[in-house]
Amino acid sequence: MHFIFRRCWVCFATDEDEPSVAWVKPCLCRGTTKWVHQSCLQRWIDEKQAGNSAATVSCPQCNTDYIIMFPPLGPLLQAIENMDRIVNKVCPFAAAGIVVGSLYWSAVTYGAVTVMQVLGHKDGLEVMEKADPLFLLVGLPTIPLTLILGKMIRWEDHVLRFWRRHLSKLSFMSFFLPKLKSDSDVGYMREPAEATPLSDPVSATRVLCGGLILPTIATLVGKVCFGFVESGLHRALLVRL
């Protein structure tokens, strides 16, 4: 009887070491490297798949893809498997929806608090109660967005340039506002400053915090400096101007 020498390429054991273990030759390798313990191969495939049973595993010597056959699942296990696949596909969208929803309702809450802070608690509630609900759902979240964009855009420089080019040429405007020197007098046009680069984490944080805290600062300073003005909105606008 011809004796076949077999050595497992996973654990390097031979027939003499483990005579009762089942052997398989799952690929196109020849010689002693084609033999492997079935239990060793299963353990090695599990390590390569790392929990992903759909991952393809091939022989490290001949690169032959292993054909992995699983026993048929029962109805209960099949249902659980299908549910797991559905959950894996839905979870990213659900997580994105939760994040977007949280940001939206946070913006709505901030907008409502800002309205009551600037107009006053009683007047702010009255305004929001009389407003259309759809308008509130759309308008309130734009308040923090507008404040942040207001900090990002240097609108003062653009207004100043427009004033230099056009309004300063009107003679009657000198009765209301002091006349600025024309471009020919100064010899150059002041260009708007560059916007704060959001690539800098410190600048981005400064823009975000500065825009969101602006209504609070305007309200507090307005009460201190313009206490004689009854309207909270007018006081906040006076501080901003």
Side-chain angles (χ1 to χ4, degrees):
M1 181 177 179
H2 180 67
F3 177 75
I4 301 176
F5 179 79
R6 295 179 294 192
R7 181 186 296 274
C8 177
W9 56 264
V10 176
C11 67
F12 301 106
T14 63
D15 286 298
E16 297 178 355
D17 299 325
E18 297 181 2
S20 60
V21 178
W23 293 83
V24 292
K25 42 182 181 179
C27 59
L28 300 178
C29 290
R30 296 178 179 275
T32 57
T33 58
K34 68 180 179 181
W35 295 103
V36 62
H37 291 143
Q38 184 173 357
S39 58
C40 293
L41 181 62
Q42 291 176 350
R43 184 174 63 253
W44 183 82
I45 291 176
D46 290 339
E47 293 176 356
K48 292 297 181 181
Q49 289 183 331
N52 183 14
S53 59
T56 302
V57 182
S58 58
C59 175
Q61 284 84 25
C62 66
N63 295 324
T64 301
D65 292 337
Y66 291 136
I67 301 176
I68 303 173
M69 303 295 294
F70 293 97
L73 299 177
L76 179 60
L77 294 179
Q78 186 65 41
I80 295 175
E81 183 73 16
N82 294 335
M83 290 179 60
D84 184 65
R85 292 177 182 174
I86 295 174
V87 169
N88 289 335
K89 293 181 179 179
V90 172
C91 277
F93 299 99
I98 292 173
V99 172
V100 173
S102 300
L103 292 176
Y104 172 78
W105 287 111
S106 298
V108 171
T109 304
Y110 176 87
V113 172
T114 302
V115 170
M116 291 188 293
Q117 188 177 46
V118 174
L119 299 181
H121 186 270
K122 182 178 179 180
D123 294 338
L125 284 178
E126 184 177 355
V127 169
M128 288 188 289
E129 288 176 355
K130 293 181 179 180
D132 183 69
L134 181 60
F135 175 78
L136 293 178
L137 292 176
V138 176
L140 290 178
T142 61
I143 293 178
L145 181 61
T146 303
L147 292 172
I148 295 173
L149 291 178
K151 292 292 293 183
M152 294 173 57
I153 301 173
R154 303 298 296 269
W155 57 271
E156 300 94 339
D157 293 313
H158 295 282
V159 172
L160 179 61
R161 184 166 61 179
F162 179 80
W163 165 256
R164 285 181 180 273
R165 287 183 176 178
H166 303 286
L167 297 182
S168 60
K169 298 178 182 179
L170 302 178
S171 58
F172 69 90
M173 291 297 296
S174 60
F175 294 99
F176 302 98
L177 294 173
K179 184 178 180 181
L180 298 176
K181 293 183 179 181
S182 62
D183 300 337
S184 59
D185 296 334
V186 298
Y188 68 96
M189 174 69 69
R190 180 175 180 267
E191 296 295 334
E194 294 183 358
T196 304
L198 294 181
S199 57
D200 184 4
V202 177
S203 299
T205 305
R206 184 180 303 171
V207 169
L208 179 64
C209 296
L212 296 180
I213 204 174
L214 179 61
T216 302
I217 296 177
T219 302
L220 295 177
V221 176
K223 289 181 179 179
V224 174
C225 300
F226 304 100
F228 56 89
V229 180
E230 295 183 0
S231 174
L233 178 60
H234 292 169
R235 289 196 299 265
L237 291 177
L238 287 174
V239 173
R240 187 66 182 93
L241 295 175

